[in-house]
Amino acid sequence: MMQVVYTRAVSAGAAWMTMAVVAVAAIVGGAAAARAAQPPKQPDLLGSALEGPMKGVEDIVFAVRPFGTDGHWYANISYYAEDENRKTYLPGGRLCRMNLRTREVKVLLDDPRGNVRDPFVHYDGKKILFSYRKGGEDHYYLYEIGADGSGLRQLTSGDYDDYEPIYLPNDDIVFVSTRCKRWVNCWLTQVGVLYRCGPNGENIHPISSNNDHDNTPWVMPDGRLLYMRWEYTDRSQVHYHHLWTVNPDGTGQMVYFGNMYGGIVMLDAKPIPGSDRIVAVFSPGHGRNEHMGPITLVDPDAGPDAQPYAQHVNPKPVWRDPYPFSEDCFLLASPQGIELMDGGGRTQLLLAKQGNMDLHEPRPLVARPRERWIPPRTDPSQATGRLVLGNVHVGRNMVGVKPGEIKKLLVLELLPEPIHFHGGMTPITAGGTFMLERVLGTVPVEPDGSAYFDVPALRSLFFVALDENENSVKRMHSFVTVQPGETTGCVGCHERRETAMRPMDKALLAMKRPPSRIQPIEGIPDVLDFPRDIQPILDKHCLKCHNPEERCGGFSLAGDHGPIWSHSYINLTHRKQFADGRNEVAGSRPPRSVGAVASPIMERLAGGHKDVKATPHEIKMVRYWIESGAVYPGTYGALGTGMLLRSIQNKPVAYGDDWPETKAAQEVMRRRCGSCHNGNTRLPMVLHQNASGYSRDVVFNLSRPEKSFFLLGPMAKKAGGYGTCQANARPPKGQDGVPEIFADTVDPDYQKLLAWIARGKQFLREESKRFDVAGFRPGEPYIREMKRYGVLPANLGPNDPVDPYATDRAYWESFWYRPVTQSARSDP
């Protein structure tokens, strides 16, 4: 017999309360039995827990919703870049509570077209904070509701998503929000970072400047917030998403566990009552949908890098949303439903999932004590904060760095992306950084290795240690943020985080003076652009030998376009002429292994290569281009445009696969080239495809098609070609010598191939212009988002010109902190 539960439920389509009769089967999304059936012979963990660590807990609250459409742990809010009508979520959401003794479930809110997530119970146990997307609306906002289902009220609004909220001890709220107006640098969904607001949703402001996601904040007993921070400053984008702490006002950001070693996403971390340890989900690799992973206990006593101090409670990668009562008792979600787990990893199913509606975020509906309150340490009237460095020569992996050797710190800023279209860094770099890195300038380092300087507040900054010749000695692969008026610092350069400042006989030299101001680097753009700033230097000093005709050394440094990058850019990259961070797994690299000092091109330009001798200004330009990530475009307006790459904007016809010229060229290649070029020596059958052993950006010249290696290779030398295809050709039976593929340019098949490449040139010149082509206009998704951010006017016409460099600058300047007057402060 089906049990019927009477409950007060909030109707999603009305503002009033309505009485609802709901069957348990409907509550959990199915038509099965009213009570959640437990598998036979399960241990009675709940009975023991209710008499022990869960004593006093009668009810829990949880969310019900289907999994999202995207496999990434973070891609469950908002829409995809190429189409704002394509959502990451599926409809269906409820907020429920369940009595642990009777297993009766009550619906507090039911919205078949909406979504409910992230319930958080107030300290008094009488109300619930959660994130809710109403049916028919696009965004998640913060809501509160009484524990009995009464008093639903909306706290936030706007053209953004607010989620993962928690109460602070003073009743303010910290949450994750897309109000930061940026997109994942390696995916086509939006970013959410930490924000804070008042109890009624007032005074919303960021406490993080991260360019990628912050997730799952939680208050620790000492008042700090524990959360996941994802970052990849000149290192792998899929390895570094670890645990950090921060004060409620955003000050004191510090790694908690794991940032030196990649391969795990550490989510849903919470302190364990009566213990110094925390529990978290260690979602494998780059993370799994809805944060799934092993339940793991972390002991911070040995510091943030002690991997053995993280131990799995249950290694199965299926658990979600743990809530600890002790080291031996965890409430959590799984693919089966809501479960209880003990310290040995044994589980008991408390409520079974039915149908496609999963159960999420179980929390005890009970009063609890408030954590310690950390008073504000910011001064909103200040535009800057201050950083103190004890001794830059001290730290891990600093072998060979002599005291006094480092003279300056180069200060760089990571610039957020307003849009992104795919899982790579294209076209910003070819295997390097995903972000533009802005050169702010330098600050001095004193002879004792100390530094003390002002930095702009709420910006993502990192540093490069420079010697007296401005060569890079050591590079930071993380970022730091200071709040307005905050003073913080570090012991040394990449020092172990459990290291304290050693006692000193004398005060730091840098602290005997006022803080330094960042000094801009004269004559250097703050955001460098390869075609604009570097290519003219190559044209002047390198092109007479490294051109498409001569190809000294077997490569060209001409600025001619390939399908994605220029010939010069891709050749410098593939021939390792500059040493950037690359998209690699690395925590702390050895001294002088990254940057201009490790880049062969610097020696060549300085006189170490034949008669090349660049001017000091030219050398400086190349130096700071390398130090700022060695990017190709100096604008995010280049994203999603000006490339023959299949994954951009989901329009494969635009990449040339279906052009008549492509079909004709494919027929020629099969007929004239197929006997030799097959298997490991295949030819590119479309312009966005690499050839065996060659980049598409070397093979095809979309500025001067007749200069393409693809055409000159099989062309006879006497006709101006390279004649390189002869090496693999076999002479016909009875003939001596090796036949030439193309004796001259009159060959009809040569003309078909030329027409194919010329069609690619037309595409980049007329249909999808590259950022360095006259008349370039960024793609529509970029313009759409810039309008949404208020950077571009809403009435901008489809043919109105858009300067991508000026638009980018207006965009990232919009994040600059503006000091507020004392009367405007609302922080307690």
Side-chain angles (χ1 to χ4, degrees), residues 456-474:
L458 277 168
R459 312 255 278 276
S460 297
L461 308 174
F462 71 104
F463 311 108
V464 180
L466 304 178
D467 65 15
E468 62 183 355
N469 298 314
E470 297 186 345
N471 286 320
S472 48
V473 178
K474 189 77 171 177

Side-chain angles (χ1 to χ4, degrees), residues 185 210-212 231-234 413-417 425 428-429 432-438 460 628-629 631 633 636:
N185 301 315
N210 196 357
N211 285 355
D212 271 293
E231 60 172 35
Y232 41 101
T233 306
D234 297 337
E413 177 183 2
L414 298 169
L415 298 178
E417 289 195 13
M425 70 290 291
I428 302 300
T429 62
T433 183
F434 287 72
M435 292 166 277
L436 298 179
E437 300 172 1
R438 181 172 175 244
S460 297
S628 60
V631 299
Y636 288 132

Side-chain angles (χ1 to χ4, degrees), residues 63-187:
V64 183
R65 65 181 181 276
F67 273 35
T69 62
D70 196 298
H72 293 88
W73 91 86
Y74 54 84
N76 48 30
I77 43 93
S78 195
Y79 52 87
Y80 288 95
E82 81 280 3
D83 182 1
E84 64 266 44
N85 295 312
R86 182 183 168 218
K87 310 298 184 182
T88 64
Y89 48 77
L90 295 173
R94 304 184 188 99
L95 182 65
C96 302
R97 64 182 287 180
M98 181 182 75
N99 184 276
L100 291 172
R101 297 184 186 274
T102 67
R103 310 295 174 88
E104 289 181 346
V105 179
K106 298 181 180 180
V107 170
L108 304 180
L109 187 149
D110 187 9
D111 190 338
R113 298 175 57 216
N115 287 115
V116 174
R117 55 178 294 169
D118 312 319
F120 191 92
V121 179
H122 190 264
Y123 295 99
D124 62 13
K126 296 179 180 179
K127 61 182 178 179
I128 303 161
L129 175 67
F130 65 104
S131 182
Y132 173 32
R133 182 192 63 80
K134 283 187 175 181
E137 296 185 359
D138 292 330
H139 296 295
Y140 284 97
Y141 301 124
L142 303 189
Y143 283 77
E144 277 183 337
I145 194 171
D148 61 356
S150 64
L152 178 70
R153 69 175 187 135
Q154 182 174 342
L155 302 181
T156 62
S157 61
D159 195 16
Y160 312 101
D161 290 280
D162 302 325
Y163 54 103
E164 296 179 351
I166 60 171
Y167 288 113
L168 296 179
N170 72 334
D171 284 337
D172 273 8
I173 297 167
V174 163
F175 58 102
V176 177
S177 180
T178 62
R179 296 170 187 271
C180 56
K181 304 176 183 177
R182 59 200 65 179
W183 289 67
V184 176
N185 301 315
C186 63
W187 199 233

